[in-house]
Amino acid sequence: MITVEPALTQLTKLTASETHRLDRAIVAISVNPDLGKRIPGTLLRDYVDDVDGVRVVFYVTALKTITVVAYIEA
């Protein structure tokens, strides 16, 4: 996983529980990149896991090899 500096700063502010819940969502997305709803007019998808209380806005590259997370709520 490659993480840019602003994301690293955000990650340090998450609790262990929030990090664990977010990790579960990222794994789910990596297994099934079609999760969530497509945001009309964009390449973005909005995935909400109501069980873990996580929201991830992301897009997957054309070859489905890289997932870029644009926004998280944990």
Side-chain angles (χ1 to χ4, degrees), residues 25 28-30 32-38 45-47 58:
I29 291 166
S30 68
N32 182 3
D34 294 323
L35 284 176
K37 296 178 182 178
R38 181 173 298 276
R45 297 189 74 81
D46 188 354
Y47 170 66
F58 67 97

Side-chain angles (χ1 to χ4, degrees), residues 12-52:
T12 62
K13 295 178 182 178
L14 296 177
T15 66
S17 174
E18 290 169 332
T19 301
H20 178 71
R21 294 182 354 243
L22 178 59
D23 284 344
R24 289 171 48 93
I26 298 297
V27 168
I29 291 166
S30 68
V31 171
N32 182 3
D34 294 323
L35 284 176
K37 296 178 182 178
R38 181 173 298 276
I39 298 174
T42 72
L43 297 174
L44 297 171
R45 297 189 74 81
D46 188 354
Y47 170 66
V48 177
D49 180 337
D50 291 325
V51 173
D52 279 333

Side-chain angles (χ1 to χ4, degrees), residues 1-2 26 29-34 58-69:
M1 175 190 301
I2 298 171
I26 298 297
I29 291 166
S30 68
V31 171
N32 182 3
D34 294 323
F58 67 97
Y59 73 90
V60 179
T61 60
L63 298 176
K64 295 191 176 189
T65 56
I66 299 174
T67 302
V68 179
V69 175

Side-chain angles (χ1 to χ4, degrees), residues 3-10:
T3 310
V4 295
E5 183 58 39
L8 287 172
T9 301
Q10 287 179 315

